Amino acid sequence: MGEFEVHRVRFFGLVPAGVRCLACTPRGGRLALARTDGTVEIYNFAANYFQEKVIPGHEVRSVESLCWAAGERLFGAGLSGDITEYDLLGLRAERPVDGCGGPIWSMAANSSGTQLAIGCEDGSVKLFQVVPGGIQFERNLDRRKGRILCLSWHPSDTHIAAGSIDALRVLDVSSGQTVQRIMVNYHVQKVKRECVVWGIAFLSRGTVVTADSFGRVQFWDWQRGTLSESHTISTSAALSLAVSEEENSIIVGTSTGATYQLQLLPVKMGSQETRWVRTKPFQHHTHDVRAVAHSPTALISGGLDAQLVIRPLMEKVQRKGYDAALRKFTFPHRRLVSCARKARLLLFQFSQHLELWRLGSTNETGKDGEVLPLCRMPEHLVQLKSKGPEHIYCSCVSPCGSWVAYSTASRFHLYRVQHEGDSVSVRKVPKVPKVLPPAYQLQFSSDSDSLFVASAQGSVHVLQLLEPGGCKHLHTLRPPSGSPEAVYLLAPSADGQWLAAVGGDWAIHIYNLKGFKHHCAVPTYSCAVTALAIHPLTNNLVIAYSDQQLFEFSIPKKQYTAWSRMVQNCGLHKVWLERDSPITHITFNPKSPSHILLHDIYMFCILDKSLPLPDNSALLMNQSTLKQLPETARQRQLHAFKICKKFQPLLFADLLDNNCLVMVERPIMDIKTQLPLPIQQKKFGT
Amino acid sequence: MVAAAALRVVRCGGSSLHGARAVFSADSKYLLCVSGDFVKMYSLATEETLRLMGGHADLVTSIQLNPHNHMQLYSSSLDGSIKLWDFMDGIPIKTFTVGSKLLALYTPASFEDSVFAVIPKSGERDTFQLVSIKLTKAAGQDLEAKELSVVLDDVDVSPKRIAFGREGEYVASVKEVNLQVYFFKRKQLNRFSVSAVKTKSGNNHFTCIACHPKEDCIATGHADGKIRLWRNFCHKKEYTFSTLHWHHDAVMDLTFSIEGTSLLSGGVESVLVLWHNESDCQKDFLPRLGSAIEYISMSPDGALCCTLHTDNRITIINSNLRFSKSIQGLIKSTDVKTGLVVDPRTKALVLNGEPGHLQFYCLQSDQQLFSLDIVQRQYIHQAGLSQADLVKVAFDAQGKWLATVEEREDVTDPELQLKLWCYDDKTQSFKLNTRINMPHEGHITDLCFRDMDESEEDSLILVTAGRDRVFKVWVMVEDTDPEAQQSVSWSCDFVGSYHNYQATNCCFSEDGSLLAVSFEETVTVWDSVTWDLKCTFCHPPGKIRNICFGRLTCSKYLIGATDYGFLCCWNLLTCALEWSAYLNVLVLQPDPLSEHIAAVSWLSKESSLFVFKPNEPWPIYIQRNLCKEKIQLAAFVPRDEPETVGSEKHCWLRRSQLFFLTDMQLAVEESLPMTPFSLLLGKHRHQQSQEDLDLGKLVVHNTHKQDSPAVKELLHTPAHVLPSASFLCPVFINSLLISKDNKSDEEVDDEVEMESEKTEDDSDEERDVTEMEQEDTNPMELLGEMTYKLSKSQEKELRKIRKMDYSWISAF
């Protein structure tokens, strides 16, 4: 694997925001997720749950509820009282529409996706018509006291069930009247506490399912107003509820971090009589599970501990493999760290500020595994606060360390960083060219002469950086056929000749920077690109896809390389393909041209193209066993994948120079200490 | 046609009541319960044992009601038979012989003529299978049931790990981490397993299983305390389960209520948990049930449930989880330090019960009468704690006073308390009268009351012997303190010691005039009025293990047993050794109502019983090979009315029965007349027929070594108890002579022949008996040879010596 001096960086104080709500598209292809800071993320199930799109948040735009309507349109509503449609191509929020009912707690779309119902603070339920280009207020339904915390449409769109405090209501859509009102804590005697209905679902057979703050899941016959079944599943509140499309399985999230599944099972073999039975409990979260979703094959839950957990239903999964793995996402699937290799600086991106750090250094050497003492401690040089309520989309530091760029939804900023001895000064570059914000990805060329700005509609702007602190718009690169989707990944070549850009449609376009013209497009592959990079010597483009496939494309020859074809013929190792987190960064070692350095959250890998690929019978992670083998046996056991799992969770890894790596870790425990205390639970034996 | 009575050992009680799940009768008036080889029927109204159904020759493993006739009961036993009983009349209707050991029995109602049982798989060790057994409808009492068909392979031994589903649709079995469900109609076998991970709280092996009576739901208990409820298990893949968790240790048993709406579970926590609606959050508890719950069963009407506990208790619980009744059997205490004591008032056997408690156990009903808290401290269930426990108990003759000794084993600071309890007629219980802290500096080794038949209160004396080298005499004194609630209390009157030896045993003579206290090797006899040392006896080199005075006509004798294996009888009038015998006596127990004394010896891994009168040097009764276990304790319990025993040999049982305790099972020695009915019942594995042998030869001066026993006798007997040298000389000389061999051989042969003739005479009516007798005589003879390891000539010689020996005694 080779020996490296590793900077083990643990001073990136990222705390991901908690998950507030989840929404699956009706056919279960995508999942929309909103975090407590207003960020909206789109996960693509077909692309192995890759985090496909991120719309950064806004200080005042909280999202309480998300729903998909009219095909693939995504709407969000929050405590600001506005309904916002999200532009999934341009990755930004459209102009909000005021709900006129105070803070909005809940929103639901009807089954055909033509109408939106919102539940407001003032107790009203309002209907909005989804029209091309926006939404239109339709009418108010019957208003009663008490905020509407949850809403659910009957699959036939004739009734709406609304959960409130101490009660649930069923509203007739056509007349707008409350046709049933059920007090949920009627059966609990002498309880002064109010019972909050946190989650509601209207089943097609006329059953209303509620999840309330007493930890109960109750099944009501709405026409008679009677309780048909009650399951006390937890001693703490049940916060969220989701029903599968066949209406035979329910997932409930509770405030202790546990999620429970209820299943509709036949009472006897072969009989028609069925009953809801609480079956499996899952304890994957430590904090409130505020959002759950039920995809056809998996239970999905998101908690305030920022984790998104996808727990596949074993009985629905056909084969054991990638689909059957439990996956937990805590960190974004994209890079929040950029590194100035020459200057040895790291730029960390937070939601509303940037931090620039200088790496520590040592002049000692040691053996494998030793921790070297530092002669200079890592130093926090600059903190750049983004102005305004908008969150940062992307950021980058130039390889020489003298330029820092970032972008928010409406503005693009470029800073000149001057190092004078130990002091650092930051100066904003005035009069940056009016490129269309936002920028989805920023990348400096390796000689720090130009900046590439990924922009909407598949375009990439090339800016020239001028000494001592200016910049000029050189050119805009566009794919020849045009594209509606924004570019989200960029990869310039080291010699400054090539630039690869990936758009939301997963097409990879390669531009020649000498003549600013489109060179070629990489043959399309039906999966999302998670990382790509151009080899500094051979100008081969290495591409990692979300299904864990690796491709190597020769830019000069405009075709896949022989090695890439060999990989496709032989196939990658099973264990490699079953990994559950995508490759987020690729880099190269100029000293050993056959090496490709790549990493995901849980491992760092050096792929040696000169060695044979392992077959499925071989051990993929064999570094520790190799160490114990004698030299001759080791030669026989060697294969291309050299994997190191020492650094977890790994947010960023890069090669500074020949033998020096930087690894940015964010231990989960450090995040946990930043979170509020979980609900105190008595644990037996403690 | 009463045949000659035969003595036999009968296991009379104390056997565990938690061998198998109890069964309620259909009307919930009776409870049927397995007790060792028997099936017991209790009345639920009165808690009385109504019927004891015996007939199995080995442990009964399972009982089940006949689903087609609620007045009938099936029982299966390790002896390989299934019996069908009419339990209302207590008579066996049919016996089906299966042939292999039956470890569990199930009688689901939907199967017309077959039952299911767990049997060992032939040819493989520790592998068991569930088979269905077709019970033939043929007439006759004893039937063969050989039509077996295997239903499930590789099942667990425990009957708790197999259950039949609703209407017999399926059978589920658990073993280790695997659950298998077999559907009878579809002939489909589904297997499921839980992950075999070991966690801190133990592994998650299955421990028990129960099936929902109305729905397709299986509840399984696990070793880590979890309960899983399986559903949809007719699908191999889409099965699902939910988990209930309250128990912190293994779930011992599970039962659904009759309608299946609730689930009962129990374990070592001694808490019965009622789970409502299969919900983790709705549960009720019935705590403090005393000891670990072994089995739970529900009555058919759902009104009652019953738990069997590891301390031999049956608890009846109302459906609203309210404690209703309990039936307590003999509590198996870890160490019966108190010995077996008979309460003169209730004739109950008194011994250690729960920790710190004294249990009064009624022998007739095999139930605990009551439990007296002696230590009166909270017992903490934790290993490694030294807690105060009851070690000695004594009653006075009337049963009015009870003396108890409790001690806490502690190396640095031993705690010792002597408590005297007075029987209170009002409360019908014992009331603490005096508590004496540290009555002795060391352990109290023995204590006894002076048994005076007159009811003079002040003549009551208590003597305690301690390892602190003294014995103390305690007497009642009038309480002078006017505020005291009681009129008398106890205080120390006299402290006696002898040459600074540890006092080991003490015993009063029958009239109470003499007190014998043994000090290691020496027995001292004291006048109980003046507390003067009257005389001493010893039989070196052995230390005295037991002493007792003879009674009635034999009251002039003092019997002692030493740990060198000698049983000695001293004459108190002559102060000389009357006779002695070589016998490794473990237990020496005088009958309080006759002059007989029972001695239990331990020789070559078997216990033997010898009954003798002190005035005769030969035993009147010998029972070889009483049982294989070491007999720890024995007690004579007076009969309510004297038995008419025909035989001379059994007259010692006329007024009392001898009970002894093996590894916590009570057995009684009793005589049963040989009637056909008793023979029917009498296929008891513990039955031993009586030996009509001249067993005088067993009580002889014996020796291991080749040197002459006479010489050894001479050397081992203390000088002051030896007769004059003129008597000893011919004995000694004779012992050195070599006698002729032939004659002795003939003699022995004659004896044996005589025996066998006798046996035939006794038993010509029944073949069974002869067989049994022959079986028993053979090992007997074999044993005689083994224990002696002497040649015939030596035997002959010994006999001669004996004759000689007693001649000098008679000369006295």
Side-chain angles (χ1 to χ4, degrees), chain B residues 589-652:
Chain B
Q589 189 66 39
D591 181 2
L593 299 178
S594 68
E595 49 273 81
H596 299 101
I597 295 175
V600 178
S601 78
W602 174 251
L603 252 185
S604 59
K605 293 187 178 165
E606 57 167 42
S607 298
S608 308
L609 171 71
F610 300 84
V611 180
F612 58 92
K613 282 185 178 179
N615 57 357
E616 294 164 31
W618 47 84
I620 57 166
Y621 175 76
I622 289 181
Q623 173 90 50
R624 282 256 154 199
N625 197 3
L626 200 60
C627 58
K628 291 286 176 207
E629 301 95 12
K630 229 176 185 172
I631 289 179
Q632 305 290 340
L633 303 156
F636 274 101
V637 178
R639 288 181 194 271
D640 290 338
E641 43 194 72
E643 191 103 331
T644 50
V645 181
S647 168
E648 184 73 12
K649 303 286 180 196
H650 312 137
C651 62
W652 60 280

Side-chain angles (χ1 to χ4, degrees), chain A residues 298-596:
Chain A
L299 306 177
I300 302 164
S301 58
L304 288 189
D305 55 355
Q307 278 195 101
L308 173 69
V309 177
I310 298 162
R311 167 77 174 55
L313 294 168
M314 287 309 176
E315 65 266 23
K316 301 278 170 61
V317 176
Q318 292 309 312
R319 63 188 170 82
K320 198 167 156 25
Y322 196 84
D323 288 341
L326 168 78
R327 56 196 69 225
K328 294 183 178 182
F329 297 135
T330 310
F331 299 102
H333 288 165
R334 55 193 62 200
R335 170 175 76 75
L336 297 176
V337 182
S338 52
C339 170
R341 289 187 184 191
K342 289 171 196 141
R344 301 210 165 199
L345 300 177
L346 286 178
L347 181 73
F348 300 134
Q349 177 188 327
F350 295 84
S351 61
Q352 281 189 290
H353 68 273
L354 302 172
E355 279 181 14
L356 190 65
W357 287 72
R358 181 185 289 134
L359 287 171
S361 61
T362 182
N363 37 26
E364 307 213 10
T365 53
K367 287 198 291 290
D368 180 28
E370 251 178 68
V371 178
L372 302 176
L374 291 182
C375 65
R376 198 170 73 171
M377 296 303 286
E379 197 183 347
H380 184 186
L381 297 176
V382 173
Q383 184 175 34
L384 274 175
K385 282 208 173 110
S386 150
K387 292 198 178 62
E390 290 167 335
H391 289 185
I392 297 171
Y393 271 60
C394 58
S395 63
C396 193
V397 63
S398 70
C400 65
S402 51
W403 301 91
V404 168
Y406 76 91
S407 167
T408 64
S410 58
R411 286 164 66 165
F412 166 74
H413 304 265
L414 182 64
Y415 289 89
R416 173 82 179 161
V417 183
Q418 265 155 347
H419 304 267
E420 286 145 9
D422 276 352
S423 68
V424 176
S425 64
V426 178
R427 193 163 51 80
K428 190 171 182 211
V429 176
K431 289 186 238 158
V432 288
K434 290 268 183 281
V435 293
L436 187 70
Y440 305 106
Q441 179 75 309
L442 294 166
Q443 194 78 47
F444 286 93
S445 66
S446 58
D447 53 5
S448 304
D449 271 355
S450 45
L451 171 67
F452 308 107
V453 180
S455 188
Q457 293 177 344
S459 61
V460 179
H461 305 286
V462 183
L463 307 183
Q464 190 182 15
L465 302 173
L466 304 167
E467 293 296 338
C471 93
K472 182 174 89 177
H473 184 244
L474 273 185
H475 196 82
T476 298
L477 303 166
R478 283 206 170 81
S481 55
S483 165
E485 302 257 4
V487 173
Y488 71 95
L489 277 177
L490 290 173
S493 69
D495 56 9
Q497 197 180 353
W498 308 104
L499 177 74
V502 189
D505 52 0
W506 307 335
I508 306 170
H509 293 281
I510 296 164
Y511 301 99
N512 189 334
L513 293 175
K514 290 283 181 284
F516 295 116
K517 62 173 197 261
H518 186 256
H519 177 66
C520 65
V522 178
T524 47
Y525 183 76
S526 63
C527 218
V529 180
T530 65
L532 79 170
I534 298 172
H535 196 281
L537 304 178
T538 59
N539 276 341
N540 287 341
L541 178 68
V542 177
I543 311 154
Y545 288 98
S546 64
D547 60 354
Q548 311 296 356
Q549 292 290 348
L550 293 170
F551 286 89
E552 193 185 39
F553 182 81
S554 169
I555 294 173
K557 291 181 189 158
K558 299 188 189 179
Q559 62 179 9
Y560 287 119
T561 62
W563 181 80
S564 180
R565 290 203 186 100
M566 191 268 288
V567 167
Q568 288 312 304
N569 286 337
C570 300
L572 289 165
H573 194 278
K574 190 166 62 106
V575 177
W576 176 269
L577 295 178
E578 285 172 6
R579 286 180 312 114
D580 60 356
S581 69
I583 300 283
T584 48
H585 189 62
I586 299 172
T587 185
F588 303 95
N589 188 354
K591 289 280 169 353
S592 13
S594 68
H595 285 188
I596 305 169

Side-chain angles (χ1 to χ4, degrees), chain A residues 168-186:
Chain A
L168 71 93
R169 288 197 280 151
V170 178
L171 299 141
D172 189 303
V173 177
S174 53
S175 70
Q177 294 304 308
T178 302
V179 288
Q180 186 63 267
R181 184 162 178 274
I182 301 169
M183 302 299 291
V184 286
N185 62 353
Y186 183 74

Side-chain angles (χ1 to χ4, degrees), chain B residues 537-554:
Chain B
F537 302 105
C538 66
H539 195 282
K543 292 185 180 173
I544 304 293
R545 200 183 267 167
N546 294 302
I547 51 169
C548 70
F549 279 96
R551 288 185 176 268
L552 303 175
T553 59
C554 303

Side-chain angles (χ1 to χ4, degrees), chain B residues 116-365:
Chain B
F116 295 84
V118 173
I119 61 166
K121 198 169 182 181
S122 54
E124 284 178 60
R125 273 190 65 218
D126 297 332
T127 317
F128 300 90
Q129 52 192 9
L130 179 74
V131 295
S132 96
I133 300 170
K134 199 166 164 68
L135 299 180
T136 47
K137 287 249 168 83
Q141 276 216 339
D142 288 308
L143 299 167
E144 297 263 300
K146 298 286 182 197
E147 225 177 293
L148 308 183
S149 60
V150 179
V151 178
L152 281 177
D153 247 333
D154 195 27
V155 299
D156 202 279
V157 196
S158 167
K160 288 189 273 196
R161 297 186 186 161
I162 293 177
F164 281 76
R166 74 177 162 92
E167 293 143 28
E169 289 265 329
Y170 55 91
V171 59
S173 146
V174 288
K175 189 184 182 187
E176 285 161 6
V177 292
N178 300 307
L179 163 72
Q180 45 182 349
V181 185
Y182 179 74
F183 295 91
F184 286 103
K185 280 191 186 138
R186 290 193 280 162
K187 300 210 185 327
Q188 180 192 352
L189 179 67
N190 285 358
R191 288 171 200 272
F192 311 102
S193 59
V194 291
S195 61
V197 284
K198 263 198 155 170
T199 56
K200 196 171 57 185
S201 55
N203 57 26
N204 57 0
H205 283 194
F206 287 97
T207 54
C208 50
I209 185 166
C211 289
H212 197 289
K214 307 275 166 173
E215 298 172 10
D216 282 345
C217 176
I218 296 175
T220 57
H222 295 257
D224 56 1
K226 284 184 178 146
I227 297 168
R228 289 192 167 86
L229 290 165
W230 301 74
R231 283 187 179 269
N232 231 13
F233 43 82
C234 50
H235 297 97
K236 280 202 169 159
K237 203 164 175 190
E238 289 179 9
Y239 72 91
T240 177
F241 61 81
S242 55
T243 310
L244 309 174
H245 198 173
W246 179 85
H247 295 277
H248 79 263
D249 213 319
V251 183
M252 304 277 267
D253 203 11
L254 283 172
T255 302
F256 274 102
S257 65
I258 296 305
E259 286 299 315
T261 49
S262 54
L263 178 70
L264 288 160
S265 69
V268 289
E269 300 90 355
S270 327
V271 180
L272 186 68
V273 186
L274 177 67
W275 306 85
H276 296 282
N277 301 323
E278 301 162 21
S279 162
D280 208 0
C281 300
Q282 296 169 18
K283 48 186 178 281
D284 286 320
F285 304 101
L286 179 63
R288 290 181 285 280
L289 285 176
S291 69
I293 295 171
E294 193 82 26
Y295 288 95
I296 306 170
S297 37
M298 286 293 295
S299 70
D301 58 2
L304 295 172
C305 103
C306 133
T307 54
L308 306 188
H309 299 260
T310 46
D311 69 347
N312 258 354
R313 193 149 42 84
I314 304 170
T315 308
I316 314 290
I317 293 156
N318 283 344
S319 57
N320 55 359
L321 221 58
R322 186 109 14 108
F323 173 85
S324 163
K325 291 182 179 72
S326 92
I327 300 165
Q328 176 74 64
L330 186 64
I331 296 178
K332 197 178 276 188
S333 181
T334 48
D335 191 5
V336 185
K337 292 174 181 160
T338 59
L340 297 180
V341 183
V342 178
D343 175 20
R345 190 179 294 265
T346 57
K347 307 284 181 287
L349 209 55
V350 177
L351 65 159
N352 281 113
E354 296 171 55
H357 286 62
L358 200 59
Q359 61 173 329
F360 288 67
Y361 171 76
C362 177
L363 292 157
Q364 279 73 38
S365 63

